[in-house]
Amino acid sequence: MPTPVTRTWLVFISHAGTDTWVAKRIAEQIEERGADTFLDESHIAVGEDFEERILSALDQADELLVLLTPWSLKRPYVWAEIGAAWGKRIPIIGVLYGLTPDEINTQSDVPILVKRRDLVDINKLGEYLSQLQEKVKAKKEGL
């Protein structure tokens, strides 16, 4: 009988199209720590049902990393992905790029579920990546 394959930790990366280059660099860093990533532009084929693929990936995700930028705050899909992750009760990691926590907290259109999170400045992403690497290791060891 074949040995079951254990899926590694899946991080869904939410971002605005304007931030794709940065999102790809973050995905590379996550993958170097042993986790899998879902990045729409890398994992959705031309002609595929976009919304269905997003929902399917979110169903499988262990956490959502959302790149919070001046552009992403204006993107409905980013907010929909945050809402879906919140509804699934998976961790939501907000990474700030071009914004400060004060700027997020003073914007009335940013939901409290984002404001309540510990937001990570992109320059301190290494701290999150170290924690992620420990989660991946623990999952692989079955802890």
Short mmCIF file of all heavy atoms in Angstrom, two decimals, residues 11-32 36-43 64-69 71-72 78 81 95-97 122 125 128-129:
data_model
loop_
_atom_site.label_atom_id
_atom_site.label_comp_id
_atom_site.label_asym_id
_atom_site.label_seq_id
_atom_site.Cartn_x
_atom_site.Cartn_y
_atom_site.Cartn_z
N VAL A 11 0.42 28.55 2.07
CA VAL A 11 0.21 29.97 2.33
C VAL A 11 -0.41 30.60 1.07
O VAL A 11 0.20 30.59 0.01
CB VAL A 11 1.53 30.70 2.68
CG1 VAL A 11 1.28 32.19 2.92
CG2 VAL A 11 2.20 30.05 3.88
N PHE A 12 -1.62 31.09 1.22
CA PHE A 12 -2.31 31.80 0.15
C PHE A 12 -1.84 33.25 0.22
O PHE A 12 -1.95 33.88 1.26
CB PHE A 12 -3.82 31.71 0.36
CG PHE A 12 -4.64 32.30 -0.75
CD1 PHE A 12 -5.36 31.47 -1.59
CD2 PHE A 12 -4.71 33.67 -0.93
CE1 PHE A 12 -6.14 32.02 -2.62
CE2 PHE A 12 -5.48 34.21 -1.95
CZ PHE A 12 -6.19 33.38 -2.80
N ILE A 13 -1.32 33.78 -0.88
CA ILE A 13 -0.82 35.15 -0.90
C ILE A 13 -1.81 36.03 -1.64
O ILE A 13 -2.05 35.85 -2.83
CB ILE A 13 0.57 35.24 -1.55
CG1 ILE A 13 1.56 34.35 -0.77
CG2 ILE A 13 1.05 36.69 -1.58
CD1 ILE A 13 2.92 34.24 -1.41
N SER A 14 -2.39 36.98 -0.92
CA SER A 14 -3.35 37.92 -1.48
C SER A 14 -2.63 39.25 -1.74
O SER A 14 -1.89 39.73 -0.87
CB SER A 14 -4.49 38.12 -0.48
OG SER A 14 -5.42 39.05 -0.99
N HIS A 15 -2.88 39.82 -2.90
CA HIS A 15 -2.18 41.06 -3.27
C HIS A 15 -2.91 41.73 -4.42
O HIS A 15 -3.73 41.11 -5.10
CB HIS A 15 -0.74 40.76 -3.69
CG HIS A 15 -0.69 39.91 -4.94
ND1 HIS A 15 -0.55 40.44 -6.19
CD2 HIS A 15 -0.80 38.58 -5.11
CE1 HIS A 15 -0.55 39.47 -7.08
NE2 HIS A 15 -0.71 38.33 -6.46
N ALA A 16 -2.60 42.99 -4.63
CA ALA A 16 -3.10 43.70 -5.81
C ALA A 16 -2.20 43.39 -6.99
O ALA A 16 -1.00 43.10 -6.81
CB ALA A 16 -3.11 45.21 -5.54
N GLY A 17 -2.74 43.46 -8.19
CA GLY A 17 -1.94 43.22 -9.39
C GLY A 17 -0.72 44.11 -9.46
O GLY A 17 0.35 43.69 -9.92
N THR A 18 -0.84 45.33 -8.98
CA THR A 18 0.28 46.28 -8.97
C THR A 18 1.45 45.76 -8.14
O THR A 18 2.59 46.12 -8.39
CB THR A 18 -0.20 47.63 -8.38
OG1 THR A 18 -1.36 48.04 -9.10
CG2 THR A 18 0.85 48.70 -8.47
N ASP A 19 1.15 44.90 -7.18
CA ASP A 19 2.16 44.41 -6.24
C ASP A 19 2.67 43.01 -6.59
O ASP A 19 3.29 42.35 -5.75
CB ASP A 19 1.58 44.39 -4.82
CG ASP A 19 1.09 45.75 -4.37
OD1 ASP A 19 1.80 46.74 -4.62
OD2 ASP A 19 0.00 45.82 -3.79
N THR A 20 2.43 42.55 -7.79
CA THR A 20 2.78 41.18 -8.17
C THR A 20 4.26 40.89 -7.99
O THR A 20 4.63 39.83 -7.48
CB THR A 20 2.36 40.89 -9.63
OG1 THR A 20 0.93 41.01 -9.70
CG2 THR A 20 2.77 39.50 -10.07
N TRP A 21 5.13 41.79 -8.39
CA TRP A 21 6.57 41.54 -8.28
C TRP A 21 6.96 41.30 -6.82
O TRP A 21 7.68 40.35 -6.51
CB TRP A 21 7.38 42.72 -8.86
CG TRP A 21 8.84 42.40 -8.94
CD1 TRP A 21 9.50 41.81 -9.97
CD2 TRP A 21 9.83 42.66 -7.94
NE1 TRP A 21 10.83 41.67 -9.68
CE2 TRP A 21 11.07 42.19 -8.43
CE3 TRP A 21 9.80 43.23 -6.67
CZ2 TRP A 21 12.25 42.27 -7.70
CZ3 TRP A 21 10.99 43.32 -5.94
CH2 TRP A 21 12.20 42.84 -6.45
N VAL A 22 6.45 42.12 -5.91
CA VAL A 22 6.75 41.97 -4.48
C VAL A 22 6.14 40.66 -3.98
O VAL A 22 6.79 39.92 -3.23
CB VAL A 22 6.22 43.18 -3.68
CG1 VAL A 22 6.44 42.99 -2.19
CG2 VAL A 22 6.88 44.47 -4.15
N ALA A 23 4.92 40.36 -4.37
CA ALA A 23 4.27 39.12 -3.94
C ALA A 23 5.07 37.89 -4.39
O ALA A 23 5.20 36.92 -3.64
CB ALA A 23 2.84 39.06 -4.49
N LYS A 24 5.63 37.93 -5.59
CA LYS A 24 6.45 36.81 -6.08
C LYS A 24 7.71 36.65 -5.24
O LYS A 24 8.13 35.52 -4.96
CB LYS A 24 6.84 37.03 -7.54
CG LYS A 24 5.75 36.75 -8.52
CD LYS A 24 6.28 36.97 -9.93
CE LYS A 24 5.27 36.61 -10.98
NZ LYS A 24 5.82 36.80 -12.34
N ARG A 25 8.33 37.75 -4.83
CA ARG A 25 9.53 37.67 -3.98
C ARG A 25 9.19 37.07 -2.62
O ARG A 25 9.93 36.27 -2.07
CB ARG A 25 10.19 39.03 -3.78
CG ARG A 25 10.62 39.80 -5.04
CD ARG A 25 11.67 39.13 -5.94
NE ARG A 25 11.25 38.07 -6.80
CZ ARG A 25 10.60 38.16 -7.97
NH1 ARG A 25 10.23 39.32 -8.44
NH2 ARG A 25 10.32 37.09 -8.67
N ILE A 26 8.04 37.46 -2.08
CA ILE A 26 7.60 36.89 -0.80
C ILE A 26 7.34 35.40 -0.97
O ILE A 26 7.74 34.59 -0.12
CB ILE A 26 6.36 37.63 -0.27
CG1 ILE A 26 6.74 39.06 0.14
CG2 ILE A 26 5.73 36.89 0.90
CD1 ILE A 26 5.57 39.96 0.48
N ALA A 27 6.68 35.01 -2.06
CA ALA A 27 6.42 33.59 -2.33
C ALA A 27 7.72 32.79 -2.39
O ALA A 27 7.80 31.69 -1.84
CB ALA A 27 5.62 33.43 -3.63
N GLU A 28 8.73 33.34 -3.03
CA GLU A 28 10.02 32.65 -3.10
C GLU A 28 10.60 32.43 -1.70
O GLU A 28 11.11 31.34 -1.40
CB GLU A 28 11.02 33.47 -3.93
CG GLU A 28 10.70 33.50 -5.41
CD GLU A 28 11.51 34.54 -6.17
OE1 GLU A 28 12.33 35.27 -5.55
OE2 GLU A 28 11.32 34.65 -7.39
N GLN A 29 10.50 33.43 -0.85
CA GLN A 29 11.02 33.32 0.51
C GLN A 29 10.24 32.27 1.31
O GLN A 29 10.83 31.52 2.08
CB GLN A 29 10.94 34.68 1.23
CG GLN A 29 11.88 35.72 0.67
CD GLN A 29 13.33 35.34 0.90
OE1 GLN A 29 13.72 35.04 2.02
NE2 GLN A 29 14.12 35.33 -0.16
N ILE A 30 8.94 32.24 1.12
CA ILE A 30 8.10 31.25 1.81
C ILE A 30 8.46 29.84 1.35
O ILE A 30 8.62 28.93 2.16
CB ILE A 30 6.61 31.57 1.57
CG1 ILE A 30 6.22 32.84 2.34
CG2 ILE A 30 5.72 30.38 1.95
CD1 ILE A 30 4.85 33.39 2.00
N GLU A 31 8.61 29.66 0.06
CA GLU A 31 8.93 28.34 -0.49
C GLU A 31 10.31 27.88 -0.04
O GLU A 31 10.53 26.68 0.17
CB GLU A 31 8.80 28.36 -2.01
CG GLU A 31 7.34 28.48 -2.43
CD GLU A 31 7.13 28.81 -3.89
OE1 GLU A 31 8.13 28.91 -4.66
OE2 GLU A 31 5.96 28.95 -4.29
N GLU A 32 11.25 28.80 0.13
CA GLU A 32 12.57 28.44 0.63
C GLU A 32 12.50 27.88 2.06
O GLU A 32 13.40 27.17 2.48
CB GLU A 32 13.51 29.65 0.61
CG GLU A 32 14.01 29.99 -0.77
CD GLU A 32 14.89 31.23 -0.79
OE1 GLU A 32 15.31 31.72 0.28
OE2 GLU A 32 15.16 31.72 -1.91
N ASP A 36 4.32 25.58 0.80
CA ASP A 36 3.79 25.79 -0.54
C ASP A 36 3.10 27.15 -0.55
O ASP A 36 2.67 27.65 0.49
CB ASP A 36 2.76 24.72 -0.90
CG ASP A 36 3.39 23.35 -1.06
OD1 ASP A 36 4.53 23.27 -1.56
OD2 ASP A 36 2.74 22.36 -0.69
N THR A 37 2.98 27.73 -1.73
CA THR A 37 2.26 29.00 -1.86
C THR A 37 1.20 28.89 -2.95
O THR A 37 1.30 28.05 -3.85
CB THR A 37 3.21 30.16 -2.22
OG1 THR A 37 3.84 29.89 -3.47
CG2 THR A 37 4.24 30.40 -1.14
N PHE A 38 0.21 29.75 -2.82
CA PHE A 38 -0.75 29.95 -3.89
C PHE A 38 -0.71 31.43 -4.23
O PHE A 38 -0.94 32.28 -3.39
CB PHE A 38 -2.18 29.57 -3.48
CG PHE A 38 -3.17 29.85 -4.58
CD1 PHE A 38 -3.39 28.91 -5.57
CD2 PHE A 38 -3.83 31.07 -4.65
CE1 PHE A 38 -4.27 29.18 -6.61
CE2 PHE A 38 -4.70 31.34 -5.70
CZ PHE A 38 -4.93 30.40 -6.68
N LEU A 39 -0.36 31.70 -5.47
CA LEU A 39 -0.29 33.06 -5.99
C LEU A 39 -1.10 33.06 -7.28
O LEU A 39 -0.76 32.33 -8.22
CB LEU A 39 1.18 33.41 -6.24
CG LEU A 39 1.58 34.84 -6.46
CD1 LEU A 39 1.20 35.73 -5.28
CD2 LEU A 39 3.08 34.93 -6.68
N ASP A 40 -2.18 33.82 -7.31
CA ASP A 40 -3.13 33.72 -8.42
C ASP A 40 -2.48 33.71 -9.79
O ASP A 40 -2.76 32.84 -10.60
CB ASP A 40 -4.21 34.79 -8.33
CG ASP A 40 -3.68 36.22 -8.40
OD1 ASP A 40 -2.45 36.42 -8.43
OD2 ASP A 40 -4.51 37.13 -8.42
N GLU A 41 -1.60 34.62 -10.05
CA GLU A 41 -1.05 34.70 -11.40
C GLU A 41 -0.13 33.54 -11.74
O GLU A 41 0.09 33.25 -12.91
CB GLU A 41 -0.36 36.05 -11.61
CG GLU A 41 0.91 36.25 -10.87
CD GLU A 41 2.11 35.93 -11.74
OE1 GLU A 41 2.08 36.20 -12.94
OE2 GLU A 41 3.06 35.38 -11.20
N SER A 42 0.35 32.82 -10.76
CA SER A 42 1.20 31.65 -11.00
C SER A 42 0.42 30.35 -11.03
O SER A 42 0.88 29.35 -11.57
CB SER A 42 2.27 31.54 -9.91
OG SER A 42 3.11 32.66 -9.91
N HIS A 43 -0.76 30.34 -10.40
CA HIS A 43 -1.48 29.08 -10.22
C HIS A 43 -2.85 29.03 -10.89
O HIS A 43 -3.57 28.05 -10.70
CB HIS A 43 -1.62 28.78 -8.72
CG HIS A 43 -0.31 28.51 -8.07
ND1 HIS A 43 0.40 29.49 -7.40
CD2 HIS A 43 0.43 27.40 -8.01
CE1 HIS A 43 1.52 28.97 -6.93
NE2 HIS A 43 1.57 27.70 -7.29
N LEU A 64 -3.41 32.81 5.38
CA LEU A 64 -3.46 33.83 4.33
C LEU A 64 -2.43 34.90 4.67
O LEU A 64 -2.41 35.42 5.79
CB LEU A 64 -4.84 34.48 4.28
CG LEU A 64 -4.96 35.69 3.34
CD1 LEU A 64 -5.21 35.23 1.92
CD2 LEU A 64 -6.06 36.61 3.78
N LEU A 65 -1.57 35.19 3.73
CA LEU A 65 -0.67 36.32 3.86
C LEU A 65 -1.20 37.37 2.90
O LEU A 65 -1.31 37.12 1.70
CB LEU A 65 0.76 35.94 3.49
CG LEU A 65 1.79 37.06 3.66
CD1 LEU A 65 3.12 36.49 4.11
CD2 LEU A 65 1.95 37.88 2.40
N VAL A 66 -1.57 38.53 3.44
CA VAL A 66 -2.10 39.59 2.59
C VAL A 66 -1.10 40.74 2.57
O VAL A 66 -0.66 41.22 3.61
CB VAL A 66 -3.51 40.05 3.04
CG1 VAL A 66 -3.52 40.54 4.47
CG2 VAL A 66 -4.07 41.11 2.11
N LEU A 67 -0.71 41.11 1.37
CA LEU A 67 0.20 42.22 1.17
C LEU A 67 -0.62 43.50 1.19
O LEU A 67 -1.40 43.76 0.27
CB LEU A 67 0.95 42.05 -0.16
CG LEU A 67 2.07 43.01 -0.47
CD1 LEU A 67 3.12 43.07 0.64
CD2 LEU A 67 2.72 42.65 -1.79
N LEU A 68 -0.51 44.25 2.29
CA LEU A 68 -1.29 45.47 2.46
C LEU A 68 -0.49 46.66 1.95
O LEU A 68 0.55 47.02 2.52
CB LEU A 68 -1.65 45.66 3.94
CG LEU A 68 -2.54 44.57 4.53
CD1 LEU A 68 -2.64 44.71 6.04
CD2 LEU A 68 -3.92 44.62 3.89
N THR A 69 -0.98 47.22 0.85
CA THR A 69 -0.33 48.36 0.21
C THR A 69 -1.40 49.40 -0.10
O THR A 69 -2.60 49.10 -0.03
CB THR A 69 0.33 47.92 -1.12
OG1 THR A 69 -0.69 47.57 -2.06
CG2 THR A 69 1.30 46.76 -0.92
N TRP A 71 -2.38 50.19 -2.85
CA TRP A 71 -3.15 49.67 -3.99
C TRP A 71 -4.06 48.53 -3.56
O TRP A 71 -5.20 48.45 -4.01
CB TRP A 71 -2.20 49.21 -5.10
CG TRP A 71 -1.31 50.33 -5.52
CD1 TRP A 71 -1.61 51.35 -6.38
CD2 TRP A 71 0.00 50.58 -5.02
NE1 TRP A 71 -0.54 52.22 -6.46
CE2 TRP A 71 0.46 51.78 -5.63
CE3 TRP A 71 0.85 49.94 -4.12
CZ2 TRP A 71 1.72 52.32 -5.38
CZ3 TRP A 71 2.10 50.49 -3.88
CH2 TRP A 71 2.51 51.65 -4.50
N SER A 72 -3.56 47.63 -2.71
CA SER A 72 -4.37 46.47 -2.34
C SER A 72 -5.59 46.86 -1.52
O SER A 72 -6.61 46.18 -1.57
CB SER A 72 -3.53 45.43 -1.59
OG SER A 72 -3.16 45.88 -0.31
N VAL A 78 -9.01 41.41 -2.85
CA VAL A 78 -8.20 41.31 -1.63
C VAL A 78 -9.12 41.24 -0.42
O VAL A 78 -8.94 40.40 0.47
CB VAL A 78 -7.20 42.49 -1.53
CG1 VAL A 78 -6.55 42.54 -0.15
CG2 VAL A 78 -6.14 42.38 -2.63
N GLU A 81 -10.89 37.87 -0.26
CA GLU A 81 -9.98 36.82 0.22
C GLU A 81 -9.76 36.92 1.72
O GLU A 81 -9.74 35.89 2.42
CB GLU A 81 -8.66 36.89 -0.55
CG GLU A 81 -8.84 36.50 -2.01
CD GLU A 81 -7.74 36.97 -2.94
OE1 GLU A 81 -6.79 37.65 -2.49
OE2 GLU A 81 -7.83 36.64 -4.15
N VAL A 95 1.03 41.96 5.82
CA VAL A 95 2.38 42.47 5.58
C VAL A 95 2.24 43.87 4.99
O VAL A 95 1.64 44.05 3.93
CB VAL A 95 3.18 41.55 4.64
CG1 VAL A 95 4.55 42.15 4.34
CG2 VAL A 95 3.32 40.16 5.25
N LEU A 96 2.79 44.84 5.70
CA LEU A 96 2.70 46.24 5.29
C LEU A 96 3.82 46.60 4.33
O LEU A 96 5.00 46.36 4.63
CB LEU A 96 2.77 47.16 6.51
CG LEU A 96 1.66 46.98 7.54
CD1 LEU A 96 1.96 47.82 8.77
CD2 LEU A 96 0.32 47.37 6.94
N TYR A 97 3.44 47.19 3.22
CA TYR A 97 4.42 47.68 2.24
C TYR A 97 3.91 49.02 1.74
O TYR A 97 2.89 49.09 1.06
CB TYR A 97 4.58 46.68 1.10
CG TYR A 97 5.60 47.08 0.07
CD1 TYR A 97 6.92 47.32 0.42
CD2 TYR A 97 5.24 47.21 -1.26
CE1 TYR A 97 7.86 47.68 -0.52
CE2 TYR A 97 6.17 47.56 -2.22
CZ TYR A 97 7.48 47.80 -1.85
OH TYR A 97 8.41 48.16 -2.79
N ILE A 122 7.19 44.96 5.99
CA ILE A 122 7.91 44.11 5.04
C ILE A 122 9.40 44.01 5.38
O ILE A 122 10.03 42.99 5.12
CB ILE A 122 7.69 44.58 3.58
CG1 ILE A 122 8.10 43.46 2.62
CG2 ILE A 122 8.42 45.89 3.32
CD1 ILE A 122 7.49 43.54 1.28
N LEU A 125 9.97 41.01 7.68
CA LEU A 125 9.35 39.78 7.21
C LEU A 125 10.09 38.54 7.69
O LEU A 125 9.50 37.49 7.87
CB LEU A 125 9.25 39.80 5.68
CG LEU A 125 8.42 38.72 5.03
CD1 LEU A 125 6.96 38.83 5.47
CD2 LEU A 125 8.52 38.80 3.52
N TYR A 128 8.47 36.67 10.61
CA TYR A 128 7.36 35.81 10.19
C TYR A 128 7.89 34.55 9.51
O TYR A 128 7.43 33.44 9.78
CB TYR A 128 6.42 36.56 9.24
CG TYR A 128 5.57 35.63 8.40
CD1 TYR A 128 4.51 34.92 8.97
CD2 TYR A 128 5.86 35.42 7.06
CE1 TYR A 128 3.76 34.04 8.22
CE2 TYR A 128 5.10 34.54 6.29
CZ TYR A 128 4.06 33.85 6.88
OH TYR A 128 3.32 32.95 6.13
N LEU A 129 8.88 34.70 8.63
CA LEU A 129 9.40 33.56 7.89
C LEU A 129 10.03 32.53 8.82
O LEU A 129 9.89 31.32 8.61
CB LEU A 129 10.41 34.03 6.83
CG LEU A 129 9.82 34.86 5.69
CD1 LEU A 129 10.92 35.51 4.87
CD2 LEU A 129 8.90 34.03 4.82
#
